Amino acid sequence: MYANSSPIHSAQSGVHDQLAATVAKHAAHVFQKPVSIYNQRAFDESMAAWRAAGSLPLILDAGCGVGLSTMHLAVLYPDHFVIGVDQSADRVGRNTLWPGTAPLPGNFMRIRADLVDYWRLLLAAGVFPARHYLLYPNPWPKIGQLSRRWHGHPVFPDIVALGGILECRSNWQIYVEECASALSQLSGKEVGCEAYLPQQPITPFESKYLASGHRLWRCQVNLGKH
């Protein structure tokens, strides 16, 4: 990926004025969209792989893309099992080049599934990740696109209910500020947005944004154990 990424442009200059009301509305109603059969199968497959690995503490790499971040997280946390989930079969199935000559870690898998269903299936099964990551999701920067951002989606209360350490990263400061605000609202914990300079980029987008001169942002919170 080349260092040619354009900065995010938006007419929105701060946290969306409808964010708090949107989060409260979603928290007050159970999201009842039926689970797709293929998502149930993908979930069952990933749970079988996790149990076969010894039911290690679980890390969820949500929206993993080609899965480079999934591999990096598996190296960073060798005593965990990392599941990378992405809705694109092409991205998940791509032969991602692992840097250097080190062997691939064995404590990870990538799977194609819709995260909206996958998060809810985890919660319904009582499987609570130790950590979960939202790394550079599509920020949907238009003012009218709040509901397309994860913190503005009806599934967000389920993400928070999964507990564990949740980290969100983006090159759009407002996205991370909104995510932090929504997390604070639902968890009662103080969550802030901070500038972030990784020692080693773990996703292709992180590498590209850094090379393009973008500032990077993140929020992180320990939502607790179950």
Side-chain angles (χ1 to χ4, degrees), residues 194-222:
E194 64 178 0
Y196 178 61
L197 183 62
Q199 292 183 344
Q200 178 187 24
I202 66 172
T203 81
F205 282 113
E206 196 161 60
S207 296
K208 182 178 182 178
Y209 294 149
L210 279 172
S212 300
H214 295 199
R215 295 191 73 186
L216 305 182
W217 307 88
R218 75 171 178 177
C219 65
Q220 187 181 68
V221 61
N222 189 340

Short mmCIF file of all heavy atoms in Angstrom, two decimals, residues 194-222:
data_model
loop_
_atom_site.label_atom_id
_atom_site.label_comp_id
_atom_site.label_asym_id
_atom_site.label_seq_id
_atom_site.Cartn_x
_atom_site.Cartn_y
_atom_site.Cartn_z
N GLU A 194 -6.93 9.34 22.56
CA GLU A 194 -5.55 9.77 22.63
C GLU A 194 -4.86 9.61 21.29
O GLU A 194 -5.18 8.70 20.51
CB GLU A 194 -4.78 8.99 23.70
CG GLU A 194 -4.67 7.50 23.42
CD GLU A 194 -3.86 6.77 24.47
OE1 GLU A 194 -3.38 7.41 25.43
OE2 GLU A 194 -3.70 5.54 24.34
N ALA A 195 -3.93 10.50 21.01
CA ALA A 195 -3.07 10.33 19.84
C ALA A 195 -2.21 9.10 20.07
O ALA A 195 -1.78 8.81 21.19
CB ALA A 195 -2.20 11.56 19.64
N TYR A 196 -1.96 8.36 18.99
CA TYR A 196 -1.28 7.08 19.13
C TYR A 196 -0.27 6.88 18.02
O TYR A 196 -0.59 7.04 16.84
CB TYR A 196 -2.32 5.95 19.10
CG TYR A 196 -1.73 4.56 19.19
CD1 TYR A 196 -1.00 4.17 20.30
CD2 TYR A 196 -1.90 3.65 18.15
CE1 TYR A 196 -0.46 2.91 20.40
CE2 TYR A 196 -1.36 2.38 18.24
CZ TYR A 196 -0.64 2.01 19.37
OH TYR A 196 -0.10 0.76 19.45
N LEU A 197 0.96 6.58 18.41
CA LEU A 197 2.01 6.31 17.44
C LEU A 197 2.53 4.90 17.71
O LEU A 197 3.31 4.68 18.64
CB LEU A 197 3.15 7.33 17.56
CG LEU A 197 4.29 7.19 16.54
CD1 LEU A 197 3.77 7.37 15.11
CD2 LEU A 197 5.39 8.18 16.84
N PRO A 198 2.10 3.92 16.92
CA PRO A 198 2.51 2.54 17.19
C PRO A 198 4.00 2.33 16.93
O PRO A 198 4.56 2.90 15.99
CB PRO A 198 1.66 1.72 16.21
CG PRO A 198 1.35 2.67 15.10
CD PRO A 198 1.24 4.02 15.74
N GLN A 199 4.63 1.51 17.76
CA GLN A 199 6.02 1.15 17.52
C GLN A 199 6.15 0.32 16.25
O GLN A 199 7.11 0.46 15.50
CB GLN A 199 6.59 0.38 18.71
CG GLN A 199 6.73 1.21 19.97
CD GLN A 199 7.35 0.43 21.11
OE1 GLN A 199 7.42 -0.80 21.07
NE2 GLN A 199 7.82 1.13 22.12
N GLN A 200 5.14 -0.52 16.03
CA GLN A 200 5.11 -1.34 14.83
C GLN A 200 3.68 -1.36 14.32
O GLN A 200 2.78 -1.86 15.01
CB GLN A 200 5.59 -2.76 15.10
CG GLN A 200 5.53 -3.66 13.87
CD GLN A 200 5.85 -5.11 14.20
OE1 GLN A 200 5.69 -5.56 15.33
NE2 GLN A 200 6.30 -5.86 13.22
N PRO A 201 3.41 -0.84 13.12
CA PRO A 201 2.06 -0.93 12.57
C PRO A 201 1.64 -2.39 12.43
O PRO A 201 2.46 -3.24 12.04
CB PRO A 201 2.19 -0.26 11.20
CG PRO A 201 3.42 0.58 11.29
CD PRO A 201 4.34 -0.15 12.22
N ILE A 202 0.39 -2.69 12.75
CA ILE A 202 -0.05 -4.08 12.67
C ILE A 202 -1.11 -4.32 11.60
O ILE A 202 -1.52 -5.46 11.39
CB ILE A 202 -0.54 -4.61 14.03
CG1 ILE A 202 -1.81 -3.88 14.50
CG2 ILE A 202 0.56 -4.51 15.07
CD1 ILE A 202 -2.42 -4.52 15.74
N THR A 203 -1.57 -3.26 10.94
CA THR A 203 -2.50 -3.45 9.83
C THR A 203 -1.97 -2.70 8.61
O THR A 203 -1.22 -1.72 8.75
CB THR A 203 -3.92 -2.92 10.14
OG1 THR A 203 -3.96 -1.50 9.94
CG2 THR A 203 -4.34 -3.21 11.57
N PRO A 204 -2.35 -3.13 7.40
CA PRO A 204 -1.94 -2.39 6.21
C PRO A 204 -2.38 -0.94 6.23
O PRO A 204 -1.65 -0.05 5.78
CB PRO A 204 -2.60 -3.17 5.07
CG PRO A 204 -2.74 -4.56 5.59
CD PRO A 204 -3.05 -4.38 7.05
N PHE A 205 -3.58 -0.67 6.76
CA PHE A 205 -4.06 0.71 6.82
C PHE A 205 -3.23 1.53 7.79
O PHE A 205 -2.92 2.70 7.53
CB PHE A 205 -5.53 0.76 7.22
CG PHE A 205 -6.47 0.43 6.10
CD1 PHE A 205 -7.25 -0.72 6.13
CD2 PHE A 205 -6.58 1.26 5.00
CE1 PHE A 205 -8.11 -1.03 5.10
CE2 PHE A 205 -7.44 0.96 3.95
CZ PHE A 205 -8.21 -0.20 4.00
N GLU A 206 -2.86 0.95 8.92
CA GLU A 206 -2.04 1.68 9.88
C GLU A 206 -0.71 2.08 9.24
O GLU A 206 -0.24 3.21 9.40
CB GLU A 206 -1.81 0.80 11.11
CG GLU A 206 -1.31 1.55 12.33
CD GLU A 206 -1.53 0.78 13.61
OE1 GLU A 206 -0.98 -0.34 13.74
OE2 GLU A 206 -2.25 1.26 14.49
N SER A 207 -0.12 1.16 8.49
CA SER A 207 1.13 1.46 7.80
C SER A 207 0.93 2.57 6.77
O SER A 207 1.73 3.50 6.67
CB SER A 207 1.66 0.20 7.10
OG SER A 207 1.99 -0.80 8.03
N LYS A 208 -0.15 2.46 6.01
CA LYS A 208 -0.41 3.44 4.94
C LYS A 208 -0.69 4.83 5.51
O LYS A 208 -0.16 5.83 5.01
CB LYS A 208 -1.58 2.97 4.09
CG LYS A 208 -1.90 3.91 2.93
CD LYS A 208 -3.04 3.36 2.08
CE LYS A 208 -3.32 4.28 0.90
NZ LYS A 208 -4.39 3.76 0.03
N TYR A 209 -1.48 4.89 6.57
CA TYR A 209 -1.81 6.19 7.14
C TYR A 209 -0.58 6.86 7.75
O TYR A 209 -0.38 8.07 7.63
CB TYR A 209 -2.91 6.05 8.21
CG TYR A 209 -4.24 5.59 7.66
CD1 TYR A 209 -5.10 4.81 8.44
CD2 TYR A 209 -4.64 5.92 6.37
CE1 TYR A 209 -6.32 4.39 7.94
CE2 TYR A 209 -5.86 5.49 5.87
CZ TYR A 209 -6.69 4.73 6.66
OH TYR A 209 -7.90 4.30 6.17
N LEU A 210 0.26 6.07 8.40
CA LEU A 210 1.49 6.62 8.95
C LEU A 210 2.39 7.15 7.84
O LEU A 210 2.93 8.26 7.93
CB LEU A 210 2.24 5.55 9.75
CG LEU A 210 1.76 5.30 11.18
CD1 LEU A 210 2.48 4.09 11.76
CD2 LEU A 210 1.98 6.52 12.06
N ALA A 211 2.53 6.36 6.78
CA ALA A 211 3.38 6.78 5.66
C ALA A 211 2.81 7.99 4.94
O ALA A 211 3.55 8.77 4.32
CB ALA A 211 3.55 5.62 4.68
N SER A 212 1.49 8.18 5.04
CA SER A 212 0.84 9.31 4.40
C SER A 212 0.84 10.55 5.29
O SER A 212 0.29 11.60 4.91
CB SER A 212 -0.61 8.95 4.03
OG SER A 212 -0.65 7.85 3.14
N GLY A 213 1.40 10.45 6.48
CA GLY A 213 1.51 11.60 7.37
C GLY A 213 0.27 11.86 8.21
O GLY A 213 0.13 12.96 8.78
N HIS A 214 -0.63 10.88 8.32
CA HIS A 214 -1.82 11.08 9.13
C HIS A 214 -1.50 10.91 10.61
O HIS A 214 -0.65 10.09 10.99
CB HIS A 214 -2.90 10.04 8.76
CG HIS A 214 -3.41 10.16 7.37
ND1 HIS A 214 -4.61 9.61 6.99
CD2 HIS A 214 -2.91 10.75 6.26
CE1 HIS A 214 -4.80 9.85 5.70
NE2 HIS A 214 -3.78 10.54 5.25
N ARG A 215 -2.21 11.63 11.45
CA ARG A 215 -2.17 11.35 12.88
C ARG A 215 -3.12 10.19 13.16
O ARG A 215 -4.18 10.07 12.55
CB ARG A 215 -2.58 12.57 13.70
CG ARG A 215 -1.63 13.75 13.60
CD ARG A 215 -1.95 14.81 14.63
NE ARG A 215 -1.56 14.38 15.98
CZ ARG A 215 -1.84 15.06 17.08
NH1 ARG A 215 -2.50 16.21 17.01
NH2 ARG A 215 -1.46 14.64 18.28
N LEU A 216 -2.74 9.34 14.09
CA LEU A 216 -3.55 8.19 14.45
C LEU A 216 -4.08 8.36 15.86
O LEU A 216 -3.42 8.96 16.72
CB LEU A 216 -2.72 6.90 14.35
CG LEU A 216 -2.04 6.63 13.00
CD1 LEU A 216 -1.29 5.31 13.03
CD2 LEU A 216 -3.06 6.65 11.87
N TRP A 217 -5.26 7.79 16.09
CA TRP A 217 -5.96 7.97 17.36
C TRP A 217 -6.48 6.63 17.86
O TRP A 217 -6.76 5.73 17.08
CB TRP A 217 -7.14 8.95 17.18
CG TRP A 217 -6.72 10.24 16.56
CD1 TRP A 217 -6.65 10.53 15.23
CD2 TRP A 217 -6.25 11.40 17.25
NE1 TRP A 217 -6.18 11.80 15.04
CE2 TRP A 217 -5.92 12.37 16.25
CE3 TRP A 217 -6.09 11.72 18.60
CZ2 TRP A 217 -5.45 13.62 16.59
CZ3 TRP A 217 -5.61 12.98 18.93
CH2 TRP A 217 -5.30 13.92 17.92
N ARG A 218 -6.61 6.55 19.17
CA ARG A 218 -7.19 5.32 19.73
C ARG A 218 -7.91 5.62 21.03
O ARG A 218 -7.64 6.63 21.71
CB ARG A 218 -6.12 4.26 19.97
CG ARG A 218 -5.22 4.52 21.17
CD ARG A 218 -4.34 3.30 21.46
NE ARG A 218 -3.45 3.57 22.59
CZ ARG A 218 -2.62 2.66 23.10
NH1 ARG A 218 -2.55 1.45 22.56
NH2 ARG A 218 -1.84 2.97 24.12
N CYS A 219 -8.82 4.73 21.41
CA CYS A 219 -9.38 4.70 22.75
C CYS A 219 -9.32 3.25 23.23
O CYS A 219 -9.34 2.31 22.42
CB CYS A 219 -10.80 5.24 22.81
SG CYS A 219 -12.06 4.28 21.93
N GLN A 220 -9.20 3.10 24.52
CA GLN A 220 -9.07 1.77 25.12
C GLN A 220 -9.76 1.77 26.46
O GLN A 220 -9.63 2.72 27.23
CB GLN A 220 -7.59 1.40 25.25
CG GLN A 220 -7.32 -0.03 25.70
CD GLN A 220 -5.83 -0.29 25.82
OE1 GLN A 220 -5.17 0.26 26.71
NE2 GLN A 220 -5.29 -1.11 24.95
N VAL A 221 -10.47 0.68 26.75
CA VAL A 221 -11.15 0.58 28.04
C VAL A 221 -11.23 -0.88 28.46
O VAL A 221 -11.38 -1.77 27.61
CB VAL A 221 -12.57 1.20 27.97
CG1 VAL A 221 -13.44 0.48 26.95
CG2 VAL A 221 -13.24 1.20 29.33
N ASN A 222 -11.08 -1.12 29.74
CA ASN A 222 -11.31 -2.45 30.29
C ASN A 222 -12.75 -2.51 30.77
O ASN A 222 -13.12 -1.89 31.77
CB ASN A 222 -10.35 -2.71 31.45
CG ASN A 222 -10.39 -4.16 31.92
OD1 ASN A 222 -11.35 -4.88 31.67
ND2 ASN A 222 -9.35 -4.60 32.60
#
